[in-house]
Amino acid sequence: MTDEQRWADPHATEAVRKLLRRHRRAVEMVLMAARVDGLDQLADAAAGYVAAPERAGTAVGAAVAFAIAQYAAVAYRTGVRREQEFIDRFIDSWMVEFGHAFATEVAEARVGVRVEEPDPRAGRMTAWLRVIEPGEDVEPAAEALRARVRERLGSASEESGRVALEPKSVTTDQIRRLEAAMVDGRRWRAAAHRRLVLEDPALGQAARLLVWAVFDARGEVTGAFRVDEERVLRNLEGAPVELAGQALVGVAHPIQLGETLAAWRDLFDDNRLRQPFEQLERPVNLLTSEDAESNRLSRFSDQPIRTDRVFGLQQLGWQVSREVLSRRFGPVREVIVTLDPGLEGGFRDEPELQRVLSVELRGGTFDSLDAVTASELIRQLERLAA
């Protein structure tokens, strides 16, 4: 594989959801026209995928939604690299949520549909969807997806029918995604976790250097394990751990390990296991009783922060505007950080300091945030300090 090729991004579905929202109007218009043309089955399948790309859907529905988004995104892309980035986001989403076989099925289904330009002479004022005719040449955009899927997944083994992947070292991006999975509460079903993480030649290396937690349906931790060199799951005492295929697994945050945290630290130290990011030694930040009962974090009021560090928050999901930093936590809660004097040009190397006027949670008090979210929020704000 070339240096430009990447392995599946665990957060790709979130990126796909944003892309589909960006092109929502185009998607809706094309699907409306498809229903007029009697393509209700294709339109329904695509609408289902657009509404929830993380839920089980049909490959045809994903292919149609991708085709429309690909058509709508042409004006936003420049060059081959941007084209590949756009395609890769969708491929990674399909791989993470449904597996490699599904990604291949989508690519093949994409070959069977085409999104056409508006044709006023035929009474078509918007783009429209159609099924390709027998013997018709494959659309270049469809071929680009099919070629990229083959390139990303490798060649299928004729003997086993499984996708063969060449070994690759874990990358900085993959490490960052695993850390984000811990911070954001990303969960995998046990079966998907083994297929997409443990059995991945690159991610499997990092997985052996982390502590993993098992969660119930309410999000409570029911156990923890590590992964040995044979990909066997083992608990703190070294006993094998058996998980049901539907069990929920995630990267354990130190808060979730409770009283066993010190023992896990000793185990990793004794075995000289060097973690890819700060997990077991990660500082834990707790809300004070005053913080918990309020919708403001008064400890940060009048705090000086460096402007260049403000822009680093964008990689952690923050929105940066002239006088406000904001980040949503769930559908109804949003943290707002008000700055003075505010940002001027938005450049990363702006030298001036900012002053925090307030840190406010809209939609509730801070005790409505779970312990991991609160700890990481405080950590992110503290790292802004000059």
Side-chain angles (χ1 to χ4, degrees), residues 319-326 335-339 342-343:
Q319 300 294 319
V320 178
S321 61
R322 191 183 188 285
E323 297 178 347
V324 168
L325 312 177
S326 62
V335 172
I336 302 294
V337 180
T338 307
L339 304 177
L343 307 174

Side-chain angles (χ1 to χ4, degrees), residues 287 292 294-295 317-319 325-337 360-370 373-374 377:
L287 294 169
S294 174
N295 70 333
W318 290 78
Q319 300 294 319
L325 312 177
S326 62
R327 191 184 193 284
R328 299 198 68 85
F329 293 92
V332 298
R333 298 182 181 89
E334 183 177 26
V335 172
I336 302 294
V337 180
E360 178 186 359
L361 176 64
R362 296 179 180 175
T365 54
F366 278 97
D367 60 359
S368 64
L369 301 180
D370 64 82
T373 298
L377 171 63

Side-chain angles (χ1 to χ4, degrees), residues 24-51 61 64-65 68 114 124 126-131:
R24 180 179 62 183
R25 185 175 181 182
V27 172
E28 290 176 347
M29 291 178 69
V30 174
L31 293 183
M32 184 182 301
R35 295 185 191 281
V36 173
D37 290 337
L39 301 176
D40 293 308
Q41 189 172 358
L42 290 181
D44 289 342
Y49 176 79
V50 170
V64 172
I68 301 171
R114 182 187 293 265
R124 295 186 179 274
T126 64
W128 54 289
L129 176 72
R130 70 176 179 85
V131 178

